[in-house]
Amino acid sequence: MDDIIIIKDLAFKYDEKLIFNRLNLNIKRGSFTTIIGPNGCGKSTLIKIILGLLKTNSYLNVDQMILCNDNIKTIRKRIGVVFENPDNQFVAETVMDDIAFSLENMKYNKEEIRKRIDKFTKYLGIYDLLEREPHSLSGGEKQLVALASALVIEPKILILDEALTMVDREVKEKTYKILKELHEKSNVTIINVTHDLEDSLYGDDIVVIDQGQVVLKGPKELVLQEEKILNNIGLDLPFMASLSIKLKYYGLVDKLILDMDEMVDLLWK
């Protein structure tokens, strides 16, 4: 598997504050990667740099293209992104028109536009919102609409920047399962930026950022065993990871188990 994003020696200051100091990061094509770190560590800044919204002289390669003025428009067409505040992404008077906006700009015909809108709004359980005005929706509904707008373009890379903070736990779990299913079917690369390690359970790999550097990177089963490092930078282990480590200490399990059903089956054997 090759790398769809390559960042080398990233240096970036914001108002004279050093955010990144020679940060290096590769994201595998087709991976579902969680980027996590304490508040203020630069997670959202990193996403804006990848999108070309913030300029840097460092080397960035996105989908085999060097990030520069000549390539930025092409790169952005391959990325679907959902930010924490969806109000900044709404451009139309109805949910239907808003989701259709990007597809219209990409010159899709009306039949294909409607087909994609129906598919993804039904997937996300927001089909009944299509005639509503975006400003009339709840925060969670707005985030799901913004997610649908990102998904309909069928991007090569989907970036979620604290994108599900306003939906309740039940809807969040359902949405992550849908994203996992889409990821497995389409091989879309998903980058999920979050402050909550619980969200990392739905992905495959974890990148931990602190003080301008990548401090941990690898499969979630390995990263989540680094309890001391995670705790030292203010990150709490997901419940299942914490439980597994405790049970492993007492010899009741022999590996990190992150699925509740798997844990129950093992303990009841």
Side-chain angles (χ1 to χ4, degrees):
M1 184 187 296
D2 66 326
D3 295 318
I4 197 167
I5 293 177
I6 302 170
I7 301 172
K8 293 182 179 179
D9 293 330
L10 175 61
F12 186 80
K13 286 184 177 181
Y14 189 78
D15 287 341
E16 297 305 311
K17 179 185 178 184
L18 185 65
I19 306 297
F20 297 118
N21 181 22
R22 300 178 68 84
L23 178 143
N24 292 282
L25 176 62
N26 291 21
I27 302 289
K28 290 180 290 187
R29 186 181 302 275
S31 65
F32 191 147
T33 299
T34 303
I35 296 180
I36 194 160
N39 289 333
C41 74
K43 300 186 297 292
S44 293
T45 299
L46 180 63
I47 297 309
K48 290 175 182 176
I49 289 171
I50 292 171
L51 293 169
L53 298 174
L54 294 174
K55 303 297 182 182
T56 174
N57 293 323
S58 303
Y59 177 88
L60 280 87
N61 189 302
V62 181
D63 198 20
Q64 299 182 331
M65 289 180 289
I66 294 174
L67 184 64
C68 61
N69 289 335
D70 292 338
N71 293 333
I72 188 63
K73 288 184 179 179
T74 304
I75 288 172
R76 285 178 182 168
K77 287 178 181 177
R78 301 182 185 187
I79 301 175
V81 60
V82 186
F83 292 108
E84 182 175 13
N85 184 358
D87 286 318
N88 296 333
Q89 295 180 253
F90 293 136
V91 295
E93 292 185 4
T94 68
V95 168
M96 168 83 80
D97 292 341
D98 205 274
I99 298 174
F101 181 76
S102 294
L103 295 174
E104 290 170 346
N105 285 341
M106 297 167 74
K107 308 301 181 185
Y108 284 98
N109 62 51
K110 290 184 178 180
E111 183 179 350
E112 178 64 18
I113 290 173
R114 186 65 205 228
K115 179 182 175 183
R116 291 196 186 194
I117 290 174
D118 288 355
K119 173 184 174 181
F120 287 105
T121 54
K122 287 176 180 176
Y123 247 141
L124 296 171
I126 56 171
Y127 181 77
D128 60 334
L129 302 180
L130 287 176
E131 301 305 321
R132 296 270 301 275
E133 296 179 0
H135 71 80
S136 72
L137 305 178
S138 68
E141 288 170 338
K142 288 177 180 178
Q143 287 190 320
L144 292 176
V145 169
L147 178 57
S149 296
L151 289 173
V152 292
I153 66 171
E154 298 183 350
K156 283 192 171 185
I157 304 169
L158 175 65
I159 297 176
L160 310 172
D161 187 4
E162 303 282 8
L164 297 174
T165 55
M166 290 186 261
V167 300
D168 62 40
R169 174 55 63 178
E170 183 179 351
V171 174
K172 180 186 276 193
E173 288 182 4
K174 177 184 173 185
T175 304
Y176 273 129
K177 286 177 182 177
I178 290 169
L179 290 172
K180 186 73 174 174
E181 185 179 311
L182 288 171
H183 166 251
E184 291 169 353
K185 286 182 177 178
S186 66
N187 203 39
V188 59
T189 301
I190 299 179
I191 300 171
N192 184 31
V193 179
T194 177
H195 66 279
D196 187 352
L197 259 177
E198 288 284 349
D199 296 346
S200 71
L201 298 183
Y202 299 95
D204 304 315
D205 299 321
I206 298 176
V207 175
V208 182
I209 296 175
D210 187 40
Q211 296 184 0
Q213 297 284 341
V214 173
V215 294
L216 286 172
K217 180 179 183 291
K220 64 185 176 187
E221 292 83 3
L222 295 180
V223 172
L224 292 176
Q225 293 187 59
E226 300 291 346
E227 183 175 17
K228 185 175 181 179
I229 296 174
L230 295 169
N231 287 166
N232 283 344
I233 61 176
L235 298 175
D236 295 324
L237 282 179
F239 170 75
M240 286 303 301
S242 179
L243 177 62
S244 272
I245 289 172
K246 289 181 174 67
L247 293 177
K248 189 177 177 183
Y249 176 80
Y250 289 108
L252 296 174
V253 300
D254 59 3
K255 63 177 181 177
L256 195 69
I257 299 173
L258 301 175
D259 181 81
M260 178 67 80
D261 292 335
E262 183 183 351
M263 176 72 79
V264 171
D265 288 344
L266 185 64
L267 294 177
W268 281 95
K269 279 184 179 178

